[in-house]
Amino acid sequence: MNTKVKQPRELNIELLRIVLMVMIVCHHFLMRGRGLHLLYTSESTHINNDALQGLFIDSFLIMTVNCFIFISGYYGIKFRIKTILSLLIQAITYSIGIDIIFNFFTGDTLSFDSILNGLLSVPNGQWWFITAYFFLYLLSPFLNLAKKYLSKFQFLYILGVFTMINFIIGFTLDPTPLGVLNGYSLFSFICIYFYGQAFSTYLNFEKGKLFYLGLYVICSLLIFGMFFMGLKYIGVGIAWRAFSYNNPVVLISAVSFFFFFKNLKINYKVISFFSSSVLAIYLIHEHPRSADFLTDNLNAAAVNYKIGSVYITLFLIAVLLFLGGTLIEKVRTAVTEPFLNYLIRKSGWDRLDEKII
């Protein structure tokens, strides 16, 4: 089997992770702040021009989650007990910490249920992405064995079955027993993880960065076109399928966006300072209590103090939120990292790394 030697992540991929998180924040601003999520539950097939503009922009943003998971598959997750514990501590800290901050300003007291929900924030799905990614990480040592021990035919056969379940049957029919859930699922993450491994090992499809950029733009336009045509000729429920994470066009968009950045040459080492905080930005702005507060108030600010247009202003706000969140994450790391290192050192849990991988 011809397996490529794993290379350390390049700075261009670290930049990609930053860009993806800013795009995710923009996506959530559009969905909630601009009220686009309300269209999903509407029976009406009439959408005004302002909403169509937002959906057009969102067609360029919807591939972000798939791209994140594709990165993990392409480079392969290297299992570490410390990383697992770090993610748990990070989620618990932000879950309870944000509740404390909001309670401070509202005068409420922190309830036992809030503390319990914070402690169980990862397994109970407070952040759906974090929950799915956490268990993908736990499974990664065994998912990596497929590329290591299976033949090329066996590996691609499994990928073909995953594709049929997730991107064909799951997208067109979405049967409940398969648990695809429009791509919002651990199964979908496993499928995309395998795609990343396949492209890093078996699928040699090398083109220039302009080719990948063009493909990304075409796919984004197709996503919007699928929505528009579905809305016009079929119905709003079918139309929204275009924005499902298991839409094959969304996957192609994510892969092409990844390879566009893969072909860039980036040498700014300061990128690493910011890229290590991407998950923290997600946890901060997608906490149940901060999500609505941020999107409602920041959208109002973007409307009242817009620079050029509402969408440009929302993008600038997303960048500022990323910068501010990075500083918060650095402070959190400085506080909790010594405790984590002490816990690992005293428990000796890091010895499990070698036994698992």
Side-chain angles (χ1 to χ4, degrees):
M1 182 177 68
N2 180 22
T3 305
K4 294 181 182 179
V5 177
K6 181 183 175 183
Q7 300 295 328
R9 287 181 177 175
E10 305 95 337
L11 288 175
N12 50 340
I13 302 302
E14 296 304 297
L15 175 62
L16 171 59
R17 296 173 71 240
I18 295 173
V19 171
L20 289 173
M21 185 50 64
V22 172
M23 293 172 76
I24 286 176
V25 174
C26 290
H27 163 70
H28 290 145
F29 281 173
L30 288 175
M31 285 293 108
R32 286 193 300 269
R34 303 296 293 167
L36 299 185
H37 68 300
L38 299 176
L39 302 175
Y40 184 80
T41 57
S42 173
E43 296 294 331
S44 174
T45 58
H46 174 73
I47 295 180
N48 60 39
N49 289 333
D50 184 62
L52 282 176
Q53 289 177 10
L55 290 168
F56 177 79
I57 294 172
D58 200 55
S59 67
F60 288 82
L61 308 177
I62 196 62
M63 56 80 212
T64 46
V65 167
N66 286 1
C67 196
F68 260 119
I69 304 304
F70 186 85
I71 293 171
S72 297
Y74 189 90
Y75 289 98
I77 293 174
K78 191 171 183 180
F79 185 89
R80 290 286 183 269
I81 289 293
K82 181 179 178 180
T83 304
I84 286 291
L85 294 176
S86 178
L87 179 57
L88 285 173
I89 291 174
Q90 187 181 35
I92 292 170
T93 301
Y94 282 115
S95 181
I96 298 177
I98 291 174
D99 274 334
I100 291 174
I101 292 172
F102 272 85
N103 286 344
F104 175 80
F105 286 101
T106 59
D108 297 330
T109 57
L110 190 65
S111 66
F112 173 78
D113 286 342
S114 294
I115 297 175
L116 183 61
N117 288 334
L119 294 174
L120 299 176
S121 57
V122 173
N124 74 7
Q126 180 169 294
W127 297 276
W128 79 268
F129 174 86
I130 298 299
T131 300
Y133 184 80
F134 177 81
F135 287 100
L136 175 71
Y137 193 102
L138 289 180
L139 289 172
S140 63
F142 308 101
L143 298 177
N144 294 338
L145 294 177
K147 187 175 72 171
K148 185 175 182 181
Y149 291 109
L150 296 182
S151 68
K152 179 179 179 180
F153 179 84
Q154 290 171 326
F155 184 91
L156 294 180
Y157 170 78
I158 292 176
L159 182 61
V161 174
F162 282 170
T163 300
M164 179 175 64
I165 295 173
N166 193 56
F167 291 105
I168 299 177
I169 296 175
F171 176 64
T172 58
L173 303 176
D174 196 23
T176 302
L178 292 181
V180 175
L181 302 176
N182 291 325
Y184 292 81
S185 64
L186 172 61
F187 179 83
S188 184
F189 279 20
I190 292 173
C191 181
I192 297 170
Y193 188 85
F194 265 71
Y195 264 99
Q197 290 192 318
F199 272 93
S200 69
T201 307
Y202 300 117
L203 305 179
N204 186 7
F205 190 67
E206 296 183 1
K207 300 290 183 179
K209 55 180 176 288
L210 291 181
F211 171 86
Y212 293 116
L213 179 61
L215 184 58
Y216 160 69
V217 172
I218 291 172
C219 287
S220 301
L221 295 176
L222 283 174
I223 292 167
F224 180 74
M226 291 171 67
F227 173 83
F228 185 80
M229 298 303 289
L231 185 68
K232 185 175 182 180
Y233 294 107
I234 303 177
V236 65
I238 296 297
W240 275 104
R241 289 279 185 94
F243 288 92
S244 297
Y245 289 139
N246 65 330
N247 180 350
V249 182
V250 174
L251 174 66
I252 297 172
S253 176
V255 173
S256 58
F257 198 71
F258 167 82
F259 279 108
F260 169 71
F261 273 82
K262 187 79 167 60
N263 280 271
L264 297 180
K265 304 297 181 183
I266 305 293
N267 295 312
Y268 301 105
K269 295 184 178 180
V270 69
I271 289 172
S272 298
F273 176 84
F274 294 97
S275 65
S276 60
S277 302
V278 291
L279 280 182
I281 309 305
Y282 181 86
L283 293 169
I284 291 170
H285 93 279
E286 273 295 277
H287 185 281
R289 298 190 70 176
S290 62
D292 291 335
F293 175 83
L294 286 174
T295 49
D296 290 344
N297 288 278
L298 295 182
N299 178 68
V303 171
N304 295 326
Y305 307 102
K306 61 183 178 182
I307 303 173
S309 74
V310 171
Y311 302 109
I312 293 176
T313 309
L314 286 175
F315 168 74
L316 294 175
I317 291 173
V319 173
L320 291 175
L321 179 64
F322 187 98
L323 295 175
T326 298
L327 295 179
I328 294 172
E329 172 61 7
K330 297 303 179 183
V331 172
R332 184 208 64 85
T333 302
V335 173
T336 62
E337 196 71 9
F339 166 74
L340 177 59
N341 291 333
Y342 174 81
L343 181 65
I344 294 292
R345 187 171 61 253
K346 287 295 184 180
S347 65
W349 287 342
D350 55 335
R351 293 193 295 269
L352 291 173
D353 294 343
E354 296 180 0
K355 293 182 180 180
I356 293 177
I357 62 175

